[in-house]
Amino acid sequence: MKIIKLEQITSTNDYSKQLIKSSEISEDFIVISKEQSMGRGSNNKSFYSPKNTGLYFSISILNNNTISIKNININTITPKVSVAIYRSVYNLFNIKLQIKYINDLYLQNKKICGILTETIDYPNSLIIGIGINLYKTAYIPDEIKNTIGFLFDENPPLFDKIETIKQQLIEEITKNIYSILPLEYIPKEYLNENINKYKIPKEIIALIS
């Protein structure tokens, strides 16, 4: 799989869309950036993406023989990506996160990860954007000070170690996403919220149960 590494970008999802629409790449690929100036979440919310202390990347799955993108249901895909991230973090670091339906992961009641899943009609493609707060940053905007969390409760390590951690996460998450997308269930034990709180489609409740 082709991996594109960037120093800074507005949004890895937006950049991935540009590459797909330009037809420059014909196979699945990943875009990683050390910083996003306009990181996005669901409902046009922003995702704070400061330099080097987080992992910001997008996986683009083109409509090929790997996975059929046609008629894909994002409301089904996004929870499965949450499970893939949960498994990856637990496998690598023995840390148990909590999934808040539909696209956030929490640690000790603080948001540490967001997912933005998007499709492109032509050519039919799926983009999975993932942002994970790894280490606490020197500056945190006031509006998220009480809600933002970090995967590691320590000062950022040396640059090389951060890059190693990022690489481990990307490899593990990508592997788990490809293994879980075809599945027809979402394990209930990954959820820490009462699913009845949310306006979840009946077919998704059936998958979770």
Side-chain angles (χ1 to χ4, degrees), residues 56-97:
Y56 322 115
F57 70 108
S58 296
I59 302 170
S60 292
I61 301 173
L62 309 189
N63 194 22
N64 52 33
N65 293 328
T66 307
I67 295 173
S68 177
I69 306 300
K70 190 176 182 180
N71 299 322
I72 200 165
N73 185 342
I74 288 181
N75 288 331
T76 301
I77 294 298
T78 304
K80 293 179 180 179
V81 174
S82 297
V83 172
I85 295 171
Y86 176 103
R87 290 179 175 176
S88 301
V89 171
Y90 182 73
N91 290 343
L92 288 171
F93 310 113
N94 199 33
I95 297 174
K96 288 188 175 182
L97 303 178

Side-chain angles (χ1 to χ4, degrees), residues 121-155:
D121 292 334
Y122 182 80
N124 292 324
S125 303
L126 173 68
I127 302 174
I128 302 169
I130 298 170
I132 303 176
N133 305 320
L134 297 178
Y135 294 95
K136 190 172 183 178
T137 61
Y139 170 77
I140 301 174
D142 290 339
E143 60 267 26
I144 61 172
K145 275 185 177 179
N146 296 326
T147 57
I148 190 172
F150 304 91
L151 187 58
F152 302 110
D153 186 21
E154 58 189 70
N155 292 326

